[in-house]
Amino acid sequence: MAQLKITRVAQSKYDSVNWDDLKFGYYFSDHMFVSDYADGKWNEGEIMPYGPMQVEPTLCTLHYGQTVFEGLKAFRAKNGGANIFRPIMNARRLVRSSEMVCIPPYNPEKMVQDICELVKVENKWIPSQYGQSLYIRPLIYGTGNFLGVHPSKTYRNIVMCSPVGAYYKEGINPVKIKVEDVYSRAVKGGLGAAKTAANYAASLYAGTQAQANGYAQVLWLDAISREVIDEVGAMNIMFLMKDELITPSLEHGTILAGVTRDSVLHIAKDWGVKVSERNISIDEIHDAYKSGRLKEVFGTGTAAVISPVGMLTYKGEDLIINDGKIGEFSQKLYDTITGIQYGEIEDKYGWNVHVEF
Ligand SMILES: *Cc1c(COP(=O)(O)O)cnc(C)c1O
């Protein structure tokens, strides 16, 4: 493999960061990786200072949204170096997302190498407090300048990094969720399974309305019958009912195949828990709640890992889950996944890509 060209910043921004209050996606590190696509191929790419880029008003992506992204994390490992959590899963999902919006695929193995090189260059930006990490955001977008709805002929792939804080500063707090029965995020045959801008634009209005009413996020139902559960905000959703862990299946193409979702399913199976990927209707949840079988509800995603749901509001009725407290199962999953990520417990699945610096 050819050594990537690296251009370093003259002045690091490191000292301007408040490392005790990082927040999420607020600070950006000194360098980024950039590769361009033209004449039918991606170039080798290079690492350069993070900074503004000039665009023309006719940049096709601004008008037609031909863009995809990813989100993954690097953790400062207990015994030195860093662990990047399951990057090949993200790199492969980026290819699937790309396909859905006619973006040419970026080689997943090459993307993992690029990410490893960038993490080495940015190693001091991986924060050291427990719960903190370096969030890595690959982004690909059309760079053509034209009006008219057709795919771009040129693209750019940028990988940027953001040191992020512990998602839960005062322990894990369960959130209030509104079951959304008016607006839709995605529909069968649409883009729901792609991490592409359109899905997030489609979610803003409902999310903002829910937040104005005191909810953290919305639970999306399928766009046609409004009975079958899809996702929660930008996370996958799971239900612990008696001794069965249930999550919506991926077959409709309306939800994202989360890396955290996959990790939770693996671990739960390993613990001997019955795991079901299937359709779950909001009525089934309501019935399980009434009969006392609904034990725990939680979202899964890279940012929060596990986000317990303390209350679900459906058509004006509040379902209080596990007394509004984090459940034992959710806490154990959180501790297991973060333990693997920080290198504190054995990575028996081989999920971490370890980099030394
Ligand atoms: C990113 C994302 C998820 C979670 O995926 P992870 O790989 O676990 O971070 C779930 N749903 C949506 C809509 C997402 O954008």
Side-chain angles (χ1 to χ4, degrees), residues 194 204 242 250:
L204 292 176
K242 282 206 76 158
L250 303 173

Side-chain angles (χ1 to χ4, degrees), residues 176-188:
K176 290 182 186 172
I177 298 292
K178 182 187 174 232
V179 181
E180 181 55 64
D181 51 9
V182 177
Y183 305 108
S184 305
R185 169 189 174 272
V187 67
K188 204 169 168 174

